[in-house]
Amino acid sequence: MTLLAAIAMFAPGLVAFLLILMVTLPLVMLIEMLPTLWLYVTPALLVYALLRFVPGIGRRALKLMPSAVLAMTVAASFIVPVLMNTESQRRAAMLLSSDSGTVPRMPDGVSIMYVSDHPLADTKCEEECQRFLFTGVARSFGVAKPGASTIRGSIASPAVIHRIVPLAQGCDNRLLRDVFADDDEVARGERRYLSEKLRQFRVKGQCFRSDPVQDVRADFVLVETASSLEPRRAENWSDLRFHRITFSRREIFRRDGDGLVPILRRTYAEYAPLKIPLMFRPPFVFDTATPGEWMRHEWVALEREEPRGMARWASNDFRVTGL
């Protein structure tokens, strides 16, 4: 097939596609912009309609007043998002202003209680749990949901305590999550699980076990919570607002007698700034109805430079050896 023959074959379809695109693309853009145009033009039209019923109003005023209202509305579409974005940034920064303390170095053999409100959080022994236990920093690592009384008393739904116990107490690895070791913990090219450390414990007559408990008191309490000052996205018309701010918080408490002393608080906050000029996204209905929303830029994160991984909880050496 020659080049000219190929062009002749595909040219009609390509031309038809371009013609359809020339019609539909402006139409889609118009539909997207109609709610915003309606917001800008409606006040001017309303003023014009009211002035027509005012006795003695001149033609000049009848033209100038709606134009002035339209100009003020357009000006507001630039001023309002600038002011709202500045306020959103201030509110997000305020969340970080209460941060305090430094990452502690924990003594060996302490008891740890980890509390998280993450919707996917469960009671299994994840990487943090295994590294605390397998390095000997913690003699027990508990997992609980927020609402647990970590100071005194019990909770309605039991938490789970993970421990290294004598073989005589029985072993139970069902809540032990498979977690790969880091590259510096194994030979080059190998892939091993942290749980392989249990072979060394078994030689010493010990094994892993998980038990539900009511008493959630511990030497150190690690807390991770997430919250939102406003809904992250509009679920209904009552959620339509200028500010979208969410944050998560990491806190460490140390037991002191019958109470807990805060020793670290770190906050991660983010906000979604409005687009300039202010534009309105129309409602969308597919399988579920989505209400209208102000158009926004990508989320902007506010956080301090902090260590990652295990170093965010303690400055101990959490490398698991002997795998």
Side-chain angles (χ1 to χ4, degrees), residues 84-205:
M84 293 300 104
N85 291 344
T86 302
E87 176 63 14
S88 292
Q89 184 180 23
R90 187 194 69 81
R91 293 186 185 184
M94 281 290 293
L95 294 171
L96 275 66
S97 64
S98 62
D99 288 356
S100 61
T102 57
V103 176
R105 180 175 181 82
M106 298 182 182
D108 290 343
V110 298
S111 58
I112 303 288
M113 179 59 64
Y114 173 74
V115 182
S116 173
D117 67 351
H118 194 284
L120 298 181
D122 56 25
T123 56
K124 289 189 175 182
C125 186
E126 307 280 354
E127 180 175 3
E128 291 87 352
C129 166
Q130 294 181 38
R131 290 191 180 278
F132 267 106
L133 291 176
F134 296 165
T135 57
V137 176
R139 68 177 185 273
S140 67
F141 190 98
V143 182
K145 285 287 187 180
S149 175
T150 51
I151 298 178
R152 60 174 72 242
S154 60
I155 55 177
S157 57
V160 172
I161 292 290
H162 307 289
R163 296 173 296 165
I164 301 296
V165 299
L167 289 172
Q169 294 187 20
C171 307
D172 185 359
N173 294 348
R174 287 177 298 176
L175 295 183
L176 189 65
R177 180 84 72 180
D178 288 334
V179 178
F180 281 115
D182 292 338
D183 292 338
D184 61 346
E185 295 172 324
V186 296
R188 178 176 295 181
E190 289 188 353
R191 297 293 286 171
R192 292 183 177 275
Y193 293 112
L194 292 179
S195 56
E196 295 183 41
K197 178 72 173 180
L198 292 176
R199 290 179 299 187
Q200 292 187 6
F201 285 109
R202 186 169 288 274
V203 172
K204 299 177 183 179

Side-chain angles (χ1 to χ4, degrees), residues 40-49 66-67 69-70 73:
Y40 290 170
V41 175
T42 298
L45 292 178
L46 182 61
V47 170
Y48 178 79
S67 300
V69 172
L70 179 60
T73 304

Side-chain angles (χ1 to χ4, degrees), residues 60-80:
R60 183 177 179 83
L62 192 61
K63 293 180 179 180
L64 289 179
M65 289 296 290
S67 300
V69 172
L70 179 60
M72 288 188 292
T73 304
V74 173
S77 71
F78 287 86
I79 297 173
V80 169

Side-chain angles (χ1 to χ4, degrees), residues 7 18 40 46 55 70 86 92 94 107 202 210 218 222 234 250 261 274 287 296 300-301 312:
I7 294 176
L18 292 176
Y40 290 170
L46 182 61
L70 179 60
T86 302
M94 281 290 293
R202 186 169 288 274
S210 304
L222 317 180
R250 171 169 50 94
V261 178
L274 297 165
D287 56 341
R296 301 177 183 275
V300 177
R312 64 199 180 108

